[in-house]
Amino acid sequence: MEHYTPIYVNTSGRSVFVVGGGRVAERKVKGLLQTEARITVVSPQLTPALEQLHQESRFDWIARSYRNGDLWGAFLVYAATDQQQVNTAVVHEAEAASILVNDAMSSGSSSFITPSVVRRGRLSIAISTAGAGPAAAAEIRAMLEQQFGDEYETYLDFLHQMRMEIKSRGLPPAVRTRLLRRLTEMNLLEMIRTGRFQWWTEEEIGNWISRNQEEV
């Protein structure tokens, strides 16, 4: 059994290569587009969806089969062809250059795997079964999507705004912690779900911070 360390990698502005242009590669690219990575696809052909994305200048395309040396400068690599021999060659080049690589056909030869993800704005929940069952991961994801609805996007955006406001006031760490804790005790999620929540004005934010600085 493979053992993985759960981490979130910042690929914004970094070079990520996807070798392959089929359905698997399409899923990888669509996931990467949400991360603002600089994506390069290496493949002689693309799915219609990938062709459309390329026409929209969403990624660079090397329109030929993979060659050794193509991965120069890559931060992260996906070997996503339907040919194990090609994927293996990609893995070998990546490993020789100390580049993290995922082999879509073999988790055992991958240095990382891509989990199934539930996204709600700032919230992301990753699900992995360590290769035991993609169907099980999809089922768990569906359950979490029901449990964590769109209200979490508004909730976390508000918490972020408040955290930035609180930090900008130069308050002592203990006071900042107390204020953030009290925000989470306000049952804001239920207010958002029932349509009773409204964004606070600057004056309302200031008044709330002033009222809640002291211990109760």
Side-chain angles (χ1 to χ4, degrees), residues 36-203:
E36 299 183 354
R38 292 189 294 108
I39 306 166
T40 300
V41 174
V42 183
S43 177
Q45 295 178 321
L46 301 176
T47 64
L50 284 176
E51 285 184 358
Q52 180 61 41
L53 289 170
H54 179 254
Q55 289 175 10
E56 296 170 1
S57 300
R58 304 295 299 278
F59 62 83
D60 294 327
W61 179 24
I62 299 176
R64 57 165 171 75
S65 298
Y66 160 80
R67 299 174 187 167
N68 187 59
D70 281 345
L71 308 183
W72 186 88
F75 173 71
L76 208 68
V77 173
Y78 290 88
T81 77
D82 59 0
Q83 302 174 55
Q84 187 60 69
Q85 183 177 0
V86 175
N87 287 1
T88 298
V90 172
V91 169
H92 287 167
E93 180 184 348
E95 289 181 340
S98 298
I99 301 169
L100 292 174
V101 61
N102 171 263
D103 183 347
M105 297 182 71
S106 174
S107 61
S109 61
S110 302
S111 52
F112 75 95
I113 57 175
T114 304
S116 182
V117 179
V118 175
R119 297 186 187 276
R120 296 290 184 264
R122 296 178 183 276
L123 174 67
S124 60
I125 306 171
I127 306 108
S128 171
T129 60
E139 181 180 357
I140 294 168
R141 175 182 175 178
M143 293 181 350
L144 290 172
E145 286 177 334
Q146 292 293 321
Q147 182 177 352
F148 295 90
D150 293 337
E151 67 273 11
Y152 277 86
E153 182 169 355
T154 301
Y155 174 60
L156 291 174
D157 281 345
F158 178 72
L159 289 184
H160 175 73
Q161 179 190 13
M162 290 298 296
R163 183 169 182 266
M164 294 299 100
E165 288 284 349
I166 291 167
K167 287 181 66 177
S168 71
R169 295 172 184 254
L171 299 169
V175 175
R176 294 201 302 267
T177 300
R178 186 181 309 129
L179 289 170
L180 293 171
R181 186 184 69 246
R182 288 182 180 171
L183 277 173
T184 62
E185 294 170 350
M186 290 179 60
N187 203 18
L188 292 166
L189 278 169
E190 186 59 27
M191 295 174 64
I192 297 169
R193 290 189 185 106
T194 57
R196 294 181 291 118
F197 174 80
Q198 290 186 338
W199 286 90
W200 295 357
T201 65
E202 290 187 14
E203 182 179 357

